[in-house]
Amino acid sequence: MPAKDDTAAASPATKVAKPVANPYLAAVLAWVLPGAGHAYLGRSARALAFLALVLSSLAIGCSLDGRLAWVFRGPPLQVLATFGGLGSGAPSLVLHMAGYQGAVEAPGYEYGSVFILTAGLMNMLLVLDAWDIASGRKS
Amino acid sequence: MSHVFLMAVYAALVSVFFALLWRRGARQRGKLFLQIFLGMMAGGLALAWLMFLFPGGPPPPP
């Protein structure tokens, strides 16, 4: 009969989270395609929901001709907006490669820019969530 | 294009996202959705009225 596991008596502060999957892979997948990290972790329904939410935000932003920032050297806020937009991973890269920039003269430009930026920021949170689940910190 | 409608769409998207991310169970998710959605809508309208006190911007063209 195996000995009783001493960790069962350990205080919560000393318990170490046990990884359930590769957190690096989960995070990369989550960034590349919104929801893919959660799909890798077996949360298919949530993966589809998050994919729909992030893509919806991106699509609404593009329909309003919002800006997809692509400035890596220049005004700090524009650089931040660039990295924020890149947070949605492959969809934003595809948009950029397709030549999408937005139209500053469009009436919905500012709103669309916010939707596009929010899509990226939401996906960044999904990356962190996937990491936490994969590393066992979150169920 | 209605600005209020766009604000509502944005608030709904963000509220659903955080409800799914931070809560488990339909009841808890619904509760958080309403809290965030109503908070964003009320906050946005409150800020809009607050800005009404400070008229600014360029003068209208002749």
Side-chain angles (χ1 to χ4, degrees):
Chain A
M1 192 169 189
K4 192 172 181 184
D5 189 357
D6 289 337
T7 59
S11 66
T14 58
K15 285 185 181 172
V16 177
K18 190 175 178 182
V20 299
N22 186 336
Y24 294 95
L25 181 59
V28 169
L29 287 173
W31 175 73
V32 169
L33 183 65
H38 289 78
Y40 164 68
L41 296 167
R43 275 105 171 136
S44 305
R46 298 181 78 200
L48 282 173
F50 287 138
L51 175 68
L53 285 170
V54 173
L55 289 184
S56 296
S57 185
L58 208 54
I60 294 171
C62 293
S63 70
L64 294 169
D65 291 316
R67 180 173 186 229
L68 180 65
W70 203 263
V71 175
F72 294 95
R73 284 183 189 177
L77 288 180
Q78 292 194 29
V79 174
L80 279 175
T82 300
F83 284 104
L86 278 173
S88 47
S92 64
L93 292 173
V94 167
L95 279 173
H96 175 71
M97 285 191 289
Y100 177 84
Q101 288 181 340
V104 68
E105 66 276 7
Y109 177 72
E110 284 84 9
Y111 301 101
S113 302
V114 171
F115 275 95
I116 290 174
L117 184 59
T118 300
L121 296 176
M122 286 197 295
N123 199 41
M124 286 182 184
L125 288 177
L126 293 182
V127 169
L128 295 175
D129 191 59
W131 176 279
D132 280 345
I133 295 172
S135 56
R137 290 185 208 169
K138 195 173 178 179
S139 62
Chain B
M1 177 175 52
S2 168
H3 295 192
V4 176
F5 175 71
L6 284 175
M7 185 172 73
V9 170
Y10 183 81
L13 267 174
V14 171
S15 303
V16 170
F17 177 81
F18 282 112
L20 285 176
L21 190 66
W22 285 343
R23 294 292 184 267
R24 301 289 182 269
R27 189 181 179 85
Q28 288 191 354
R29 284 175 173 166
K31 186 179 173 186
L32 184 63
F33 169 84
L34 280 176
Q35 285 174 337
I36 297 175
F37 179 78
L38 294 175
M40 290 181 76
M41 290 298 292
L45 289 171
L47 279 173
W49 278 107
L50 193 64
M51 287 191 286
F52 188 68
L53 297 173
F54 304 98

